[in-house]
Amino acid sequence: ELKVEQNPLFLSMQEGKNYTIYCNYSTTSDRLYWYRQDPGKSLESLFVLLSNGAVKQEGRLMASLDTKARLSTLHITAAVHDLSATYFCAATPGGGADGLTFGKGTHLIIQP
Amino acid sequence: NAGVMQNPRHLVRRRGQEARLRCSPMKGHSHVYWYRQLPEEGLKFMVYLQKENIIDESGMPKERFSAEFPKEGPSILRIQQVVRGDSAAYFCASSPLGEKLFFGSGTQLSVL
């Protein structure tokens, strides 16, 4: 059974700082997803990482995937308040989007 | 192109009643997924459907829960004889070919 673990689960940081959220998964998964969720809202897709060594960047967020280590990271550079949200990673054993298994999420608060 | 539409946004039921949650996928999407989210938790996969077929229902409770995606009309997640433990946010997602998922705004079910 695929398990996905994120850490930290809660992170409070100041604007301008850098930080990394880690996502480990327990069995083979060829792709890894990152989503953002604002309170009371739906999930917004951030990144889909499809292969080992994949790196994607969007603004202050950068995601990477190491399939050998079964690890993905979401790096935040020079954080701003607008990035405050809950970030989820998700993996799938089947290689497609079937039955994504989500981590518990990282609740990120960025203080001015 | 409207996004994934879910209704109602909020649904209140008393114990023992039935709950029906609707999901209209994005235009052109033939894959529908249902997820459940408890407070402070990640999303848990429930069921994956294509038109008129259930592809994977491994996350569905064996009793009281059912899902369908008819040839015409929205996908329906039906919960019979609801109990307090069914209170959660239920998210629907769709995808065109089983790749990236697009999520709806969710239905918050409250069981009194």
Side-chain angles (χ1 to χ4, degrees):
Chain A
E1 181 189 348
L2 175 61
K3 292 190 189 320
V4 178
E5 291 189 359
Q6 287 181 240
N7 74 83
L9 296 182
F10 183 83
L11 176 58
S12 178
M13 56 192 291
Q14 289 186 320
E15 280 190 327
K17 300 289 188 183
N18 303 332
Y19 209 81
T20 302
I21 300 170
Y22 298 88
C23 175
N24 290 91
Y25 53 97
S26 61
T27 64
T28 301
S29 178
D30 288 336
R31 57 192 67 196
L32 196 292
Y33 301 78
W34 283 97
Y35 287 88
R36 168 183 171 147
Q37 186 180 36
D38 291 294
K41 305 287 187 183
S42 186
L43 278 77
E44 173 192 352
S45 178
L46 296 175
F47 302 108
V48 182
L49 302 166
L50 299 178
S51 60
N52 187 40
V55 177
K56 290 193 174 180
Q57 183 162 6
E58 181 75 33
R60 300 174 189 273
L61 300 178
M62 183 174 72
S64 66
L65 177 62
D66 180 345
T67 58
K68 290 183 172 54
R70 294 179 187 161
L71 171 69
S72 179
T73 61
L74 180 66
H75 187 73
I76 303 152
T77 302
V80 293
H81 179 66
D82 286 352
L83 290 178
S84 297
T86 300
Y87 292 85
F88 292 96
C89 66
T92 172
D98 314 355
L100 288 180
T101 299
F102 281 80
K104 290 192 173 183
T106 296
H107 186 47
L108 175 64
I109 295 177
I110 300 169
Q111 301 180 14
Chain B
N1 187 4
V4 178
M5 305 298 291
Q6 286 188 250
N7 68 83
R9 283 298 308 272
H10 296 93
L11 181 60
V12 179
R13 285 288 178 264
R14 295 189 183 281
R15 279 178 295 171
Q17 291 184 319
E18 178 180 288
R20 278 181 178 245
L21 289 63
R22 293 175 185 77
C23 169
S24 296
M26 288 179 71
K27 188 176 180 181
H29 288 192
S30 57
H31 301 240
V32 166
Y33 307 79
W34 286 93
Y35 288 83
R36 176 165 61 179
Q37 185 180 34
L38 295 170
E40 308 301 323
E41 295 280 330
L43 277 71
K44 301 284 189 208
F45 168 76
M46 298 183 74
V47 62
Y48 163 38
L49 310 105
Q50 293 180 23
K51 284 284 188 183
E52 299 184 280
N53 286 307
I54 296 175
I55 307 302
D56 181 356
E57 57 181 349
S58 58
M60 287 273 274
K62 293 287 185 282
E63 297 177 350
R64 302 188 297 108
F65 284 72
S66 62
E68 62 176 8
F69 188 18
K71 188 176 179 181
E72 301 290 337
S75 176
I76 306 286
L77 179 67
R78 182 180 174 210
I79 311 172
Q80 295 177 289
Q81 298 174 315
V82 295
V83 300
R84 287 226 174 102
D86 297 333
S87 296
Y90 291 83
F91 287 96
C92 168
S94 72
S95 74
L97 287 173
E99 295 274 339
K100 183 176 173 180
L101 299 189
F102 296 82
F103 282 84
S105 297
T107 294
Q108 180 65 51
L109 172 64
S110 299
V111 180
L112 304 179

